[in-house]
Amino acid sequence: MDLVPALEEPLKKVLGPATAKVMAEHLGLHTVGDLLHHYPRRYEERGQLTHLADLPMDEHVTVVAQVADARLHTFASPRAPRGKGQRLEVTITDGSGRLQLVFFGNGVHKPHKELLPGTRAMFAGKVSVFNRRLQLAHPAYELLRGDGEEATESVESWAGALIPIYPATAKLESWKIGKAVQTVLPSAQEAVDPLPESLRAGRGLVTLPEALLKIHRPHTKADIADARARLKWDEAFVLQVALARRRHADAQLPAVARRPRPDGLLAAFDDRMPFTLTEGQQKVSREIFADLATEHPMHRLLQGEVGSGKTLVALRAMLAVVDAGGQAAMLAPTEVLAQQHHRSVTEMMGELAEGGMLGGAEHATKVVLLTGSMGAAARRQALLDLATGEAGIVIGTHALIEDKVQFHDLGLVVVDEQHRFGVEQRDALRGKGKQPPHLLVMTATPIPRTVAMTVFGDLETSVLDQLPAGRSPIASHVVPAADKPHFLARAWERVREEVAQGHQAYVVCPRIGDEEDDKKAKKSAEDDAEKRPPLAVLDVAEQLARGPLQGLRVEVLHGRMQPDDKDAVMRRFAAGETDVLVATTVIEVGVNVPNATAMVIMDADRFGVSQLHQLRGRVGRGAAPGLCLLVTEMPEASAARQRLNAVAATLDGFELSRIDLEQRREGDVLGQAQSGARSSLRVLAVIEDEEIIAEARQEAAAVVAADPELERLPGLRTALDALLDEEREQYLEKG
């Protein structure tokens, strides 16, 4: 193999340095193989035109349309004072809608000659609004000549009736990417097939070279369907093999089996618990205890609806490990949350958390908090308690992963809100044990089964779907502030009524409103002249205290406050000394104040569906019913309003996470916290392709069980290396 394999050939050798540089910088494409896997986003048919009515604002679009008319205007400007400035306005149409194109200055001459009424072309540019009409300023364009005209280059490159439209950037239009693909397409013949032949033939899938040819140059819609079916299998299968190998490797690791003592800390805790566990909590606890009793590390994902009692299940697992002589660490994504967990764990344990102190129970252990902003003395003491084994339980932020932190015998790691916590950090913490510790990952974001199989495919899953007895339902309503301002006035009255009954309320805003924040907001408002900047905590709190909530005790909480100030505000709110807390999403996870019954979310359309569901879970945590009001100025027919109606209509987090996923792109779903391999899905749609993912998982497990090193499948090994390389690269960048 002295020659570089065709697909690893750098693009700069094939396409020339300028194009290759743009592809590398803007699209992350470096080799011939990368470009072949940059698939068209959709296809336009030569005979049909794009729907101009549905164009998204501020996005880079490519449309195929026909010129309706073109007018050249002259005007006076500072540069051309004698009325010599020129502006060309071209209107294009697709039969259903019209779109204005505008060209200025010297840029008008070529389009003025070429864009004559009746001409068809592809146009690419960024959609903006001018005088309340959609327009593209200075779009790039490529004429589509009729079949009868001279065989120009464009006829050859668009020979098929289907025109591929590629994910493009302002620096590189879709058709230029198309021409580059045309140049490298012959290399597709040398693509090494990652699917085992028996699997490919058994499922009637086309070969990889054929799939690449058909996705870039389809002659019929059936070609596209064949290609996509095959490429989806590739993505699902290679990813599932990576996960299956990880599970296989994890299963080979040794771990210390941790079994609770019948008369130990866990038994003492269960005795003092004032209520019984729900069936769901008992079932999940049995699964966890069975895992802890084996000599391989547990890797379990615990999904539970907001308020389903996950923390209690995790605490019982931690106590079982302490009983067995080990230590347990709980990791939270933010300091506010770590402090909150520490408070609730010590409250639940009472004197059992006072090991080594007077008044501590005989089985007691120490529960320490470790965060980045602790004072030096407190931190030194916490580190010492961990190193000597005095502290059985530690709760902290990412500060726990630092090199300085030494454990006496780390037996269990509990990670809260996994979607903010990457695979690498889990591994770093794992390295703290003498042998790999058991791992329990908790999330309150309901994850549809397929996403769990894709993102957390290396974990076994447990689900808590019952709410503990005594939890109240939450009523949710959309408040259309623009259409019906009196609804908003009524919302503030409702807050006053809740406070009058001795309860408390949250008001959530999308941003803070301090100087740093204002600069950002101002910039985004300028880019987007039609929209006002999102509402800010500091402004809203002041307006409420002076206006509709005058006389109530209103405080603010946001992420840029000092940790001690944040904690003090939370303590006052928890103690009932504050009536209304105006906050950003720092309260989104884990904040637990049972007396808070109402929440008003301002500019609710600026939050995602899952985020709204998380926020709403902060109320209705006690015996009184909860109320959540989603305030928006979006018009009735908008997609944003439909999203809010969906949130108001159901409390089922799994249903909402499905809606959320369907509205977002897969790349976001698989998320920033997960490594790059997860977001490298190009044709696989996690929700629609549930069956493919489930089947690929079974096939992958069988292949790895039979041949863990994949010695008989060199093509699969190559594809896996490419996937993991990307994962490693992402990891290094993040490190």
Side-chain angles (χ1 to χ4, degrees):
M1 293 265 300
D2 300 338
L3 295 169
V4 176
L7 297 193
E8 287 171 29
E9 188 80 54
L11 286 173
K12 53 177 180 283
K13 287 195 171 166
V14 191
L15 300 177
T19 310
K21 185 168 185 250
V22 176
M23 285 196 169
E25 284 175 8
H26 293 275
L27 296 168
L29 308 175
H30 304 277
T31 64
V32 167
D34 292 345
L35 180 55
L36 287 174
H37 287 297
H38 185 73
Y39 308 132
R41 178 176 288 164
R42 56 190 172 81
Y43 301 84
E44 291 291 357
E45 290 185 56
R46 229 178 230 294
Q48 294 184 337
L49 296 169
T50 319
H51 277 292
L52 297 180
D54 308 335
L55 292 182
M57 278 294 299
D58 280 343
E59 275 197 30
H60 206 82
V61 299
T62 303
V63 297
V64 175
Q66 192 160 1
V67 177
D69 64 51
R71 287 190 299 278
L72 192 61
H73 302 272
T74 51
F75 59 92
S77 73
R79 283 194 183 159
R82 289 199 294 277
K84 287 287 188 343
Q86 288 191 313
R87 181 175 81 243
L88 176 65
E89 285 178 9
V90 178
T91 307
I92 57 173
T93 176
D94 64 353
S96 71
R98 297 165 89 78
L99 181 65
Q100 190 88 31
L101 314 178
V102 49
F103 301 87
F104 293 102
N106 293 336
V108 303
H109 305 307
K110 186 167 176 274
H112 191 218
K113 282 212 302 278
E114 294 183 334
L115 296 180
L116 304 171
T119 310
R120 271 170 180 244
M122 296 168 81
F123 301 92
K126 192 171 173 186
V127 183
S128 58
V129 171
F130 181 71
N131 280 345
R132 297 208 164 270
R133 284 217 309 243
L134 291 183
Q135 71 163 25
L136 295 180
H138 277 284
Y141 62 89
E142 169 94 345
L143 301 180
L144 296 173
R145 305 246 159 58
D147 299 325
E149 292 186 27
E150 74 278 19
T152 59
E153 184 190 356
S154 86
V155 166
E156 275 161 32
S157 52
W158 311 116
L162 292 161
I163 301 168
I165 305 290
Y166 288 91
T169 74
K171 300 271 191 294
L172 201 62
E173 294 87 23
S174 169
W175 54 87
K176 289 189 180 156
I177 297 172
K179 285 179 180 168
V181 169
Q182 190 74 5
T183 311
V184 302
L185 208 49
S187 310
Q189 291 308 330
E190 298 178 43
V192 184
D193 203 321
L195 291 189
E197 179 55 31
S198 57
L199 189 158
R200 189 187 70 70
R203 294 187 179 273
L205 299 168
V206 300
T207 62
L208 183 55
E210 191 183 337
L212 289 170
L213 224 55
K214 283 183 166 174
I215 198 141
H216 290 295
R217 285 290 166 269
H219 290 293
T220 61
K221 287 186 174 166
D223 283 354
I224 301 172
D226 286 351
R228 290 179 69 87
R230 160 63 214 241
L231 295 167
K232 281 181 175 190
W233 252 96
D234 274 17
E235 286 183 8
F237 181 71
V238 174
L239 181 54
Q240 290 301 338
V241 167
L243 294 166
R245 286 190 69 189
R246 189 179 209 133
R247 285 197 302 276
H248 184 269
D250 284 344
Q252 312 304 311
L253 293 172
V256 180
R258 311 277 180 178
R259 296 182 184 85
R261 293 208 309 276
D263 58 345
L265 190 54
L266 177 61
F269 176 76
D270 283 351
D271 288 345
R272 51 168 292 145
M273 219 172 14
F275 47 81
T276 51
L277 297 176
T278 64
E279 269 173 53
Q281 286 173 318
Q282 289 172 5
K283 176 175 158 287
V284 170
S285 292
R286 283 195 296 274
E287 292 171 348
I288 291 172
F289 288 150
D291 284 358
L292 288 174
T294 62
E295 299 193 342
H296 300 295
M298 161 171 85
H299 291 110
R300 191 164 281 282
L301 172 69
L302 172 56
Q303 293 181 239
E305 270 293 3
V306 178
S308 56
K310 291 183 301 297
T311 313
L312 180 61
V313 170
L315 175 56
R316 291 184 71 243
M318 287 164 43
L319 295 174
V321 169
V322 175
D323 263 352
Q327 290 170 296
M330 185 178 210
L331 270 171
T334 64
E335 295 212 350
V336 169
L337 202 51
Q339 285 159 342
Q340 175 94 25
H341 276 318
H342 181 252
R343 230 178 357 254
S344 60
V345 164
T346 45
E347 277 165 19
M348 281 199 265
M349 286 176 65
E351 76 251 26
L352 297 176
E354 294 168 0
M357 302 185 213
L358 283 169
E362 59 166 321
H363 294 300
T365 184
K366 232 181 189 183
V367 179
V368 299
L369 177 68
L370 191 62
T371 62
S373 65
M374 281 168 77
R379 189 180 168 79
R380 250 198 320 276
Q381 185 59 50
L383 288 171
L384 186 66
D385 288 342
L386 285 178
T388 60
E390 186 84 8
I393 295 179
V394 57
I395 296 173
T397 52
H398 294 77
L400 280 179
I401 304 175
E402 287 172 17
D403 297 340
K404 294 193 277 295
V405 182
Q406 294 298 323
F407 288 88
H408 177 65
D409 178 13
L410 180 60
L412 170 67
V413 176
V414 179
V415 181
D416 192 21
E417 290 307 322
Q418 161 70 16
H419 60 284
R420 295 150 187 255
F421 195 83
V423 173
E424 308 76 58
Q425 291 141 315
R426 294 194 329 220
D427 292 344
L429 196 65
R430 233 180 244 176
K432 297 272 184 199
K434 295 193 176 79
Q435 286 195 333
H438 297 283
L439 176 72
L440 179 66
V441 169
M442 301 198 296
T443 175
T445 310
I447 306 168
R449 204 184 88 177
T450 42
V451 181
M453 283 194 291
T454 312
V455 183
F456 301 114
D458 52 343
L459 302 172
E460 298 300 324
T461 307
S462 297
V463 179
L464 271 179
D465 45 14
Q466 282 172 302
L467 286 188
R471 276 295 167 84
S472 313
I474 306 169
S476 308
H477 304 284
V478 177
V479 177
D483 317 347
K484 302 183 175 157
H486 58 286
F487 275 36
L488 184 58
R490 175 75 188 112
W492 301 125
E493 279 172 31
R494 280 293 288 117
V495 170
R496 294 193 82 99
E497 286 163 18
E498 289 296 316
V499 172
Q501 288 170 10
H503 298 306
Q504 293 159 281
Y506 298 99
V507 176
V508 182
C509 305
R511 66 187 187 95
I512 300 172
D514 55 9
E515 287 90 60
E516 269 183 71
D517 198 52
D518 284 342
K519 278 184 213 138
K520 273 195 234 149
K522 190 159 188 280
K523 190 166 184 305
S524 70
E526 280 163 11
D527 297 344
D528 194 353
E530 302 284 303
K531 267 197 203 151
R532 60 166 176 72
L535 292 171
V537 166
L538 301 175
D539 308 342
V540 169
E542 194 182 326
Q543 288 159 12
L544 290 175
R546 281 209 312 260
L549 301 186
Q550 200 170 1
L552 301 188
R553 296 167 299 178
V554 178
E555 286 211 61
V556 299
L557 179 71
H558 59 74
R560 275 209 278 272
M561 288 162 63
Q562 289 303 314
D564 293 351
D565 297 346
K566 271 193 246 181
D567 202 37
V569 168
M570 269 321 297
R571 276 176 195 280
R572 284 197 292 275
F573 189 63
E577 295 162 20
T578 307
D579 299 319
V580 179
L581 186 62
V582 183
T584 54
T585 53
V586 289
I587 62 158
E588 176 188 349
V589 278
V591 172
N592 185 20
V593 179
N595 190 42
T597 51
M599 175 177 285
V600 181
I601 303 179
M602 308 302 290
D603 280 344
D605 48 274
R606 312 248 181 174
F607 299 99
V609 171
S610 294
Q611 203 173 23
L612 291 169
H613 182 58
Q614 285 286 336
L615 286 165
R616 168 171 67 184
R618 301 301 113 218
V619 296
R621 299 178 79 84
L627 172 69
C628 177
L629 301 175
L630 306 166
V631 179
T632 177
E633 292 185 357
M634 287 308 214
E636 184 99 41
S638 62
R641 251 314 251 292
Q642 285 158 6
R643 243 190 11 242
L644 296 180
N645 292 340
V647 173
T650 177
L651 290 171
D652 178 347
F654 285 94
E655 178 55 30
L656 288 173
S657 69
R658 257 195 115 84
I659 294 169
D660 196 14
L661 282 182
E662 280 159 9
Q663 293 186 337
R664 295 190 337 204
R665 291 204 294 279
E666 300 313 311
D668 312 336
V669 173
L670 302 178
Q672 310 67 17
Q674 295 305 324
S675 353
R678 308 294 195 277
S679 51
S680 61
L681 298 186
R682 297 185 178 90
V683 285
L684 192 68
V686 173
I687 286 285
E688 293 151 35
D689 298 324
E690 185 160 345
E691 280 156 37
I692 294 181
I693 293 171
E695 288 172 23
R697 183 176 166 122
Q698 284 177 339
E699 293 273 8
V703 164
V704 171
D707 180 7
E709 293 305 310
L710 308 179
E711 281 162 6
R712 297 190 288 282
L713 297 168
L716 177 56
R717 265 219 321 265
T718 311
L720 202 58
D721 289 345
L723 181 78
L724 296 176
D725 251 9
E726 195 171 331
E727 191 172 88
R728 246 181 264 133
E729 233 168 76
Q730 301 271 344
Y731 166 40
L732 293 173
E733 281 170 17
K734 281 222 292 283

